Amino acid sequence: MTASGEAGHGRPKDGVASLAYAPVSDIDSRYAWMRLLVALALGTIGSVGMWSFVVALPAVQADFGIARGEASLPYTLTMIGFGVGGIVMGRLADRFGIVLPVVIGGILLGAGYVLSGFAGGIGQFALAQGLLGFGSAATFGPLMSDISHWFTRRRGIAVALTSCGNYLAGTIWPPIIQYFISTEGWRPTQIGIGFICVATILPLMLLMRRRAPSQHSTASSATAAGARASLGISSNALMVLLFVAGLACCVAMSMPQAHIVAYCGDLGYGPARGAEMLSMMLGFGLISRIAGGFIADRIGGVATLLISSGLQGVALFLYLQYDGLISLYVISALFGLFQGSIVPMYAIIIREYFPPREAGTRLGFVLMATLVGMALGGWMSGWIFDLTGSYHAAFLNGLGWNLVNVSVMIWLLFRSGRRVVHA
């Protein structure tokens, strides 16, 4: 059977996705690595929608003359837009390839930033932020899913490197945005970011026009079906387990990430120290994502996620034991080093257990679970603090949720290994 015949049953019939499928020889090729670099650049540019409002918040609040709680609404809508966008954009990527969703994402980013720059009130601004979250989603999960089709031997490291775009955006964009807000104002800065997104994302997509060679591969689908059969559960049951795992790991993850600044303030160290610790988490998270990719190429996504989640629990336990300034810096660095590879591993697990043509949509659902977990965990930790007057119980709560994630991964690993032995 020819490559085109193998893929023919999944080829869309309209003209939107008439781009040619790449030959199988392109897998693990120099072109695949070039494509990875483009995906990393797209992720670094497009993920600006996840970070820009954190920097613009004080200026937006002062301009509209509103309270901090009301001013935080745009961030909530950004997260909602990102979660819903991950599913929709993933579905588009599965059906039409990566070009269409990322082009739509780039246009939505441009429109969202321009609309937010002309917003007359916080309601309009918040809706524009929701649009930004939706657009940004195209440059995270769908890109990880797409790059997974282009690698076999180095799939773990390829997905991990692609996921680093999100963290790189959080490192590169904030100081740039802060500079232009202080010199030009937040409205021109928002509009300027919109034009930059359109002017960079659309040309970069010209380098990714080829359809993935393994997108509809019979062999890849058969391998995934065999792995899933080894678990002895249905596809829907496995998705429920992964949804629970994604929710639980990120409830635990959100405790230090969302509250480390406030925690340092309560201890008398000041918010600036907490901000430095948060920055360290992101920085060491980049190292973790790359290292996790190398490990996943050797032992698989489930085992790698289990190790990372277990170590995340260790870091949460250390927060309970030590609260000195130097100790908190060290533990925060360790936390970033341990947790950074968790989310990208879901992309690897999805590819291990589900057909390639479903990867984008299913990954979108799991990533939405992680976002819900971050939102729930951030709120829950604050509620527990208000109830108890300290973060001690909140760290214990994080440990409990982390144990749920660890338990799911242990079950999957044990179930798969046991059934393979009995086969």
Side-chain angles (χ1 to χ4, degrees):
M1 179 179 292
T2 64
S4 60
E6 181 179 312
H9 73 278
R11 189 185 301 273
K13 294 181 174 59
D14 55 38
V16 175
S18 60
L19 302 177
Y21 286 82
V24 175
S25 59
D26 275 351
I27 297 176
D28 290 307
S29 67
R30 295 176 68 178
Y31 171 78
W33 285 102
M34 183 279 291
R35 192 179 180 95
L36 169 59
L37 292 177
V38 176
L40 179 60
L42 285 167
T44 304
I45 297 167
S47 292
V48 63
M50 293 288 292
W51 303 102
S52 62
F53 179 68
V54 177
V55 182
L57 172 58
V60 171
Q61 180 185 359
D63 192 347
F64 291 135
I66 55 178
R68 179 59 56 88
E70 188 179 2
S72 299
L73 176 63
Y75 182 78
T76 302
L77 288 185
T78 302
M79 295 298 104
I80 293 174
F82 192 87
V84 175
I87 299 173
V88 175
M89 296 297 190
R91 177 62 178 162
L92 288 175
D94 286 340
R95 185 175 180 186
F96 301 113
I98 193 62
V99 172
L100 180 62
V102 175
V103 167
I104 292 175
I107 293 172
L108 290 179
L109 280 167
Y113 273 113
V114 171
L115 289 173
S116 69
F118 287 102
I122 191 62
Q124 296 175 11
F125 185 87
L127 290 174
Q129 282 293 135
L131 198 63
L132 290 179
F134 196 95
S136 285
T139 60
F140 188 54
L143 282 176
M144 285 194 290
S145 176
D146 174 79
I147 209 66
S148 73
H149 300 303
W150 291 87
F151 290 86
T152 300
R153 295 189 302 273
R154 294 290 182 265
R155 179 176 294 159
I157 186 60
V159 170
L161 285 170
T162 302
S163 73
C164 286
N166 185 265
Y167 274 11
L168 282 173
T171 303
I172 296 171
W173 279 104
I176 297 173
I177 294 171
Q178 180 57 50
Y179 171 78
F180 281 101
I181 287 177
S182 63
T183 57
E184 306 295 333
W186 72 268
R187 291 181 184 273
T189 299
Q190 293 284 103
I191 296 171
I193 296 172
F195 280 110
I196 290 173
C197 287
V198 173
T200 54
I201 291 176
L202 299 189
L204 282 172
M205 285 314 302
L206 295 175
L207 300 175
M208 301 185 73
R209 288 177 295 174
R210 299 188 201 178
R211 291 292 300 273
S214 65
Q215 182 96 11
H216 300 280
S217 167
T218 303
S220 296
S221 297
T223 300
R228 190 172 64 254
S230 72
L231 299 176
I233 59 175
S234 67
S235 298
N236 289 338
L238 179 55
M239 281 302 297
V240 169
L241 284 175
L242 292 177
F243 191 95
V244 171
L247 176 74
C249 74
C250 286
V251 169
M253 190 185 299
S254 69
M255 172 55 230
Q257 288 190 351
H259 290 271
I260 189 65
V261 176
Y263 184 47
C264 285
D266 293 340
L267 293 173
Y269 301 133
R273 297 295 189 183
E276 291 172 355
M277 294 176 195
L278 180 60
S279 178
M280 287 182 63
M281 287 183 195
L282 292 175
F284 279 88
L286 284 170
I287 299 173
S288 174
R289 290 193 167 184
I290 297 171
F294 279 111
I295 296 171
D297 283 332
R298 287 159 176 78
I299 66 175
V302 172
T304 305
L305 199 156
L306 174 59
I307 293 171
S308 298
S309 187
L311 291 174
Q312 176 175 263
V314 171
L316 287 170
F317 179 77
L318 291 175
Y319 275 117
L320 283 168
Q321 303 300 312
Y322 305 99
D323 61 5
L325 182 60
I326 301 301
S327 298
L328 287 176
Y329 273 110
V330 173
I331 297 169
S332 296
L334 289 175
F335 185 83
L337 192 61
F338 295 157
Q339 61 82 23
S341 63
I342 290 178
V343 173
M345 286 306 106
Y346 290 110
I348 303 299
I349 294 171
I350 291 293
R351 278 306 314 275
E352 290 173 349
Y353 290 105
F354 293 100
R357 64 181 178 275
E358 302 175 7
T361 305
R362 293 189 180 275
L363 179 58
F365 274 104
V366 177
L367 291 180
M368 185 178 70
T370 66
L371 288 169
V372 172
M374 291 296 291
L376 176 62
W379 168 82
M380 191 180 294
S381 297
W383 177 77
I384 293 173
F385 176 84
D386 290 338
L387 194 65
T388 64
S390 79
Y391 280 115
H392 188 272
F395 279 117
L396 286 174
N397 178 66
L399 274 170
W401 283 93
N402 196 76
L403 183 60
V404 173
N405 179 266
V406 169
S407 299
V408 171
M409 292 304 122
I410 289 176
W411 188 88
L412 290 175
L413 203 60
F414 172 77
R415 186 80 173 178
S416 177
R418 187 182 69 175
R419 293 184 70 89
V420 168
V421 170
H422 289 334

